[in-house]
Amino acid sequence: MISEKLGIRRRAALELARRLNHNLRQEHPLRQVFWESTVRCNIHCRHCGSDCRQMASQPDMPREHFFRVLDNIASRLNPAEVFVILGGGEPLVREDVVECAQGIADRGFPWGMVSNGLFLTPALFKQLRRAGLCSLTVSLDGLEEQHTWLRRHPDCFRMASQAIDMMVADGGMAYDVMSCVHQHNYDQLPALRDYLIGKGVKEWRLSTIFPVGRGAQDASLQLTKEQFRGLFEFIKQTRQEGRIHASYGCEGFLGAYEGDVRDWLFRCGAGVTVASVLVDGSISACTSIRYNYRQGNIYEDDFMDVWEHRFQAHRDHRWMKRDECEHCKYWRYCEGNGLHLRDDDGRLLFCHLARLQQE
């Protein structure tokens, strides 16, 4: 099976990455902070893992509350070395999004945003750039028919396409386009690639949909085993062609595809280099991780004390060596997969390697 043929050189690289990852967990330098500034959203995507909605029971976090977290971080670390990602929900539904952005920048933190692009007008884009926006990810999941099918808003393709044009034309910021791959758009990947190349896009990130939230309600959002392997072959071929820099998302150990479909060997940075502040004040790692993996709350705890002294489940993965992971011969390289792929009881929801090994 293709996923088992690691080869000597790949195994050597994985061994080195394993040692580096263990050192990183011991040092756990905070490098990235996600702010779930809202759980409201302006669209109703079929695959949403958090079931965001236009009217949410949880109000947006007041920006001053998050600013206090940043001040706490800056009292112990160099803010220029900690990247803040303004997210949600959809962060652009906040009426004070520019003030949020300016407050982050004024404290010396570089910041970026993940957006569906629907509310990103040229005027707002200019305001955000003036407020220090230095990185932007916009989602585009196919050409117009397929993107609209997944995102379920009549203007979502037009506005995402316009946002991509603005990113490319700007020329002074980091950006990428994110595409979620599923059964309905799999065959369209070559056309989508050519569309993005035609727009001048240089960075393209592809990801599969993991089965939580709405993403678990429609089986067609999960690739077949042939499509799953085919996706990695497509990314590998696209990288070799060199017309656009394609890469797979951060989740999942990929066996023999490690080193071929992204720029690093698998690691999960959640709780190691990545933290999150959720809309209710919870201190977590990646915003995709289940709620009961939170480590504290900004309204009760000192953020940096939580970062330094908790997150043990994220930094020591031995508790994950159970069920199908217990006797896996690739445990030493994977160590239980990404935490966002585990349920509330710690059971693994999805194993990329097992999927690749299916006949």
Side-chain angles (χ1 to χ4, degrees):
M1 286 175 268
I2 190 169
S3 57
E4 292 190 346
K5 299 174 182 177
L6 294 183
I8 295 175
R9 295 179 64 183
R10 202 181 310 267
R11 284 183 182 275
L14 287 168
E15 286 291 344
L16 177 59
R18 176 175 176 270
R19 296 191 192 100
L20 293 173
N21 287 339
H22 279 213
N23 290 338
L24 202 60
R25 287 177 190 165
Q26 290 180 353
E27 297 170 4
H28 51 267
L30 182 62
R31 292 289 179 260
Q32 202 170 63
V33 176
F34 285 86
W35 179 27
E36 186 185 52
S37 63
T38 181
V39 290
R40 293 184 293 139
C41 193
N42 48 13
I43 55 178
H44 190 71
C45 301
R46 296 176 186 273
H47 66 302
C48 181
S50 55
D51 197 26
C52 296
R53 51 184 69 92
Q54 289 182 331
M55 298 298 295
S57 58
Q58 179 67 47
D60 298 351
M61 177 181 284
R63 61 182 184 271
E64 294 82 4
H65 296 185
F66 182 66
F67 293 165
R68 288 200 291 268
V69 174
L70 296 183
D71 292 339
N72 179 245
I73 295 171
S75 71
R76 304 201 201 180
L77 300 174
N78 180 358
E81 296 178 354
V82 181
F83 195 88
V84 176
I85 298 177
L86 182 56
E90 168 55 48
L92 295 184
V93 302
R94 290 189 62 128
E95 293 77 8
D96 65 344
V97 65
V98 175
E99 290 81 2
C100 292
Q102 192 64 61
I104 296 170
D106 287 346
R107 286 163 171 80
F109 291 84
W111 71 277
M113 179 182 291
V114 179
S115 175
N116 58 43
L118 186 61
F119 284 178
L120 192 61
T121 63
L124 180 55
F125 180 72
K126 290 179 182 178
Q127 286 182 289
L128 293 171
R129 284 292 281 137
R130 285 196 296 267
L133 175 66
C134 59
S135 174
L136 180 60
T137 295
V138 170
S139 298
L140 191 72
D141 305 296
L143 301 180
E144 185 166 8
E145 179 181 351
Q146 293 302 331
H147 183 70
T148 304
W149 177 85
L150 188 68
R151 300 285 169 170
R152 298 199 283 199
H153 191 288
D155 291 327
C156 60
F157 179 82
R158 178 177 63 84
M159 292 303 292
S161 182
Q162 175 181 273
I164 292 169
D165 289 339
M166 288 189 292
M167 294 191 303
V168 172
D170 181 86
M173 58 179 287
Y175 71 87
D176 66 353
V177 173
M178 177 76 177
S179 300
C180 292
V181 184
H182 49 86
Q183 291 186 33
H184 296 270
N185 68 356
Y186 174 80
D187 291 335
Q188 200 178 63
L189 290 178
L192 178 57
R193 175 189 59 198
D194 293 344
Y195 177 78
L196 294 175
I197 292 171
K199 281 183 164 294
V201 173
K202 302 299 183 185
E203 300 288 336
W204 185 26
R205 186 158 36 115
L206 300 96
S207 182
T208 43
I209 298 170
F210 49 94
V212 297
R214 289 185 221 133
Q217 297 172 8
D218 184 348
S220 70
L221 295 177
Q222 309 299 315
L223 296 176
T224 68
K225 61 181 183 294
E226 293 84 5
Q227 290 172 335
F228 194 69
R229 183 176 291 127
L231 170 62
F232 298 116
E233 287 294 325
F234 171 79
I235 295 174
K236 183 177 177 180
Q237 177 187 350
T238 299
R239 289 168 67 91
Q240 290 172 345
E241 291 174 356
R243 295 187 296 154
I244 189 171
H245 187 246
S247 62
Y248 185 63
C250 61
E251 74 271 12
F253 175 71
L254 305 176
Y257 287 109
E258 287 294 331
D260 288 339
V261 296
R262 54 191 170 203
D263 296 342
W264 66 91
L265 300 177
F266 173 69
R267 67 178 181 274
C268 180
V272 180
T273 59
V274 178
S276 296
V277 176
L278 305 185
V279 72
D280 65 350
S282 294
I283 302 170
S284 185
C286 169
T287 52
S288 296
I289 294 176
R290 309 285 72 72
Y291 187 75
N292 66 343
Y293 285 92
R294 65 192 186 279
Q295 303 297 304
N297 193 289
I298 65 169
Y299 299 117
E300 302 169 359
D301 304 295
D302 180 279
F303 177 88
M304 284 304 298
D305 283 347
V306 171
W307 176 255
E308 288 298 336
H309 302 297
R310 301 186 193 178
F311 288 95
Q312 287 87 352
H314 303 70
R315 296 166 187 170
D316 185 345
H317 286 198
R318 286 177 292 182
W319 65 272
M320 295 185 187
K321 199 170 185 180
R322 51 181 281 198
D323 305 323
E324 61 264 55
C325 294
E326 184 174 4
H327 301 294
C328 178
K329 64 182 180 179
Y330 296 106
W331 164 263
R332 65 186 295 105
Y333 306 133
C334 175
E335 294 195 342
N337 225 322
L339 273 168
H340 70 286
L341 295 173
R342 292 186 174 266
D343 66 12
D344 291 346
D345 297 318
R347 290 187 294 267
L348 188 63
L349 292 168
F350 189 86
C351 175
H352 291 67
L353 187 63
R355 186 69 162 163
L356 286 167
Q357 289 175 331
Q358 288 180 350
E359 294 290 357

